[in-house]
């Protein structure tokens, strides 16, 4: 008799929960990302040694060569004069043979800051690392047209 009552109860429970959501669910584990740690607030005192300021570029100590890669006569000489008046140590001017896409100041790695300053002084928009056969102890300007 007890087993009949148990089977009847199971049947009632089955019918009563048949349309409902199953009680067992698939559980997937997810990794919990580490929460962001609060960043310390800036203090009034620096934590490390401040970087020493880079010395200013000394125009008179930087050699500059100017080359004309356009059909404009005496362009390299004119721009060499302008660079000299701005304080740069111009050591030569001549014609450049080859194809250059735009007026450019070329620099060896150690003179990159000087190249940007020279370009600013003359209104040249493009600076690039020096390539062979350019000398690596000076800046090289190659002109493709008049400066604005």
């Amino acid at each position: 008799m007890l087993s009949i009552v148990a089977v009847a109860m199971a049947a009632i429970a089955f019918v009563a929960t048949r349309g409902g959501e199953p009680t067992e669910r698939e559980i997937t584990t997810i990794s919990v990302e580490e929460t962001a740690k609060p960043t310390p607030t800036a203090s009034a005192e620096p934590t490390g040694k401040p970087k020493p300021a880079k010395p200013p570029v000394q125009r008179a100590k930087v050699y500059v060569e100017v080359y004309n890669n356009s059909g404009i006569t005496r362009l390299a000489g004119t721009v060499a004069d302008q660079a000299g008046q701005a304080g740069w140590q111009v050591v030569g001017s001549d014609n450049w043979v080859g194809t250059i896409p735009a007026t450019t100041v070329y620099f060896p790695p150690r003179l990159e800051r000087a190249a940007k300053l020279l370009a600013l002084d003359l209104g040249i928009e493009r600076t690039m690392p020096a390539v062979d056969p350019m000398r690596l102890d000076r800046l090289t300007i190659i002109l493709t047209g008049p400066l604005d």
Side-chain angles (χ1 to χ4, degrees):
M1 175 86 158
L2 197 51
S3 32
I4 295 175
V5 172
V7 170
M9 292 295 282
I12 292 172
F14 175 74
V15 171
T17 60
R18 194 164 89 183
E21 195 175 322
T23 56
E24 292 182 31
R25 295 190 180 123
E26 184 178 331
I27 299 175
T28 57
T29 58
I30 58 170
S31 63
V32 178
E33 292 184 29
E34 186 177 329
T35 59
K37 295 179 182 179
T39 57
T41 57
S43 62
E45 297 177 19
T47 56
K49 293 180 181 178
K51 292 183 180 179
K54 293 183 179 179
V57 173
Q58 295 179 357
R59 290 174 176 91
K61 292 187 177 184
V62 178
Y63 295 140
V64 177
E65 290 182 335
V66 184
Y67 292 95
N68 185 358
N69 191 233
S70 74
I72 302 170
T73 304
R74 181 95 175 100
L75 180 62
T78 303
V79 173
D81 291 343
Q82 291 174 353
Q85 289 172 2
W88 296 94
Q89 183 67 36
V90 178
V91 294
S93 63
D94 204 348
N95 291 320
W96 184 267
V97 178
T99 304
I100 304 297
T103 296
T104 307
V105 177
Y106 291 92
F107 59 89
R110 69 178 184 83
L111 293 176
E112 183 173 2
R113 288 180 47 235
K116 293 188 184 302
L117 182 58
L118 175 60
L120 185 65
D121 285 350
L122 297 176
I124 297 172
E125 295 181 8
R126 187 171 187 251
T127 61
M128 298 288 294
V131 296
D132 192 45
M134 296 173 191
R135 296 189 51 184
L136 298 179
D137 65 340
R138 62 195 62 196
L139 301 176
T140 303
I141 302 173
I142 301 180
L143 305 161
T144 60
L147 299 180
D148 294 331

